[in-house]
Amino acid sequence: MASLPCVRRSPLLRLVGVVTTLCGASWAFARRPSLLRPSSRGNAGNAGNALTPQQLTGRLKAAETSNHLLFLVEQYENVLNEYHVRAALTRLAQSNETTTLSGDPGFRKLLSRTSELMTTFRSQALATVLWSLAKVEYDPGEPFLRSVIDASLPQLKQSKPQEMVNSLWACARFGYQPGDAFLEALVDT
């Protein structure tokens, strides 16, 4: 899989991203007018660019650059669900780029949406959040990590071994102690 270069998004790069997306969207809409239907989730700001949840997941997974991925996150911020957040974070982690994410507005929106939805995430998504952020070397801070661990705790019995390992690995990378309750629950699982 090709790596995703993570670049600081200048106004010119943003304009290029918008034009590219609009040109691609125009072509897609010409071929499939059904894409123009309004979103069923009331995303009025994106009514002209409505995608089904599956289409958005596909676009996030197929984004060729971090810039394009984060542009999509900004564009569809209000409709991102657990699967979209997981796809976006995984794609960023696969890019092997660690620079300039913290200052990127799209990345900040992705973290914000992750925080909003975290209590609804299943164990795989929670483990992916931790693993992805550790992989891109972005430390979200103790309150964020605590909320992920707290959301994970009731789901540990249903977690797969890889999810547990990914969560522990991420905590180690952050130098974060997840707490005795979490570690005891892991041992008991």
Side-chain angles (χ1 to χ4, degrees):
M1 181 169 287
S3 70
L4 298 172
C6 184
V7 297
R8 183 172 304 279
R9 295 186 312 155
S10 69
L12 179 59
L13 285 175
R14 289 181 139 204
L15 179 61
V16 169
V18 169
V19 170
T20 303
T21 300
L22 290 176
C23 290
S26 297
W27 179 82
F29 294 147
R31 294 200 61 209
R32 293 187 56 204
S34 63
L35 292 178
L36 289 171
R37 70 180 178 277
S39 171
S40 62
R41 296 184 77 169
N43 188 21
N46 295 329
N49 295 328
L51 297 173
T52 67
Q54 295 82 4
Q55 289 169 325
L56 180 54
T57 302
R59 290 213 181 156
L60 291 167
K61 287 180 176 182
E64 293 184 17
T65 65
S66 298
N67 187 46
H68 183 236
L69 174 76
L70 294 172
F71 173 77
L72 288 170
V73 166
E74 285 184 85
Q75 187 176 15
Y76 293 98
E77 171 189 10
N78 296 327
V79 297
L80 294 177
N81 63 28
E82 171 183 350
Y83 301 103
H84 301 135
V85 168
R86 197 171 80 208
L89 285 171
T90 299
R91 193 69 184 112
L92 283 174
Q94 292 169 340
S95 74
N96 295 320
E97 290 292 330
T98 61
T99 58
T100 71
L101 284 178
S102 61
D104 188 280
F107 185 68
R108 286 194 310 267
K109 287 182 180 186
L110 180 59
L111 289 178
S112 175
R113 188 67 176 158
T114 302
S115 292
E116 290 171 20
L117 298 173
M118 193 174 311
T119 58
T120 66
F121 283 5
R122 289 176 286 210
S123 61
Q124 184 180 13
L126 292 165
T128 299
V129 167
L130 290 173
W131 172 82
S132 297
L133 293 176
K135 187 87 165 82
V136 298
E137 298 178 5
Y138 177 82
D139 186 342
E142 195 275 333
F144 185 94
L145 294 171
R146 170 61 33 215
S147 61
V148 175
I149 295 299
D150 288 346
S152 300
L153 197 52
Q155 301 184 46
L156 282 179
K157 295 245 185 258
Q158 294 83 27
S159 295
K160 295 178 182 169
Q162 188 64 51
E163 296 163 6
M164 294 179 213
V165 169
N166 286 350
S167 295
L168 283 175
W169 176 83
C171 287
R173 290 285 298 221
F174 293 130
Y176 177 73
Q177 211 299 350
D180 292 339
F182 184 81
L183 295 174
E184 286 173 17
L186 279 177
V187 171
D188 291 340
T189 301

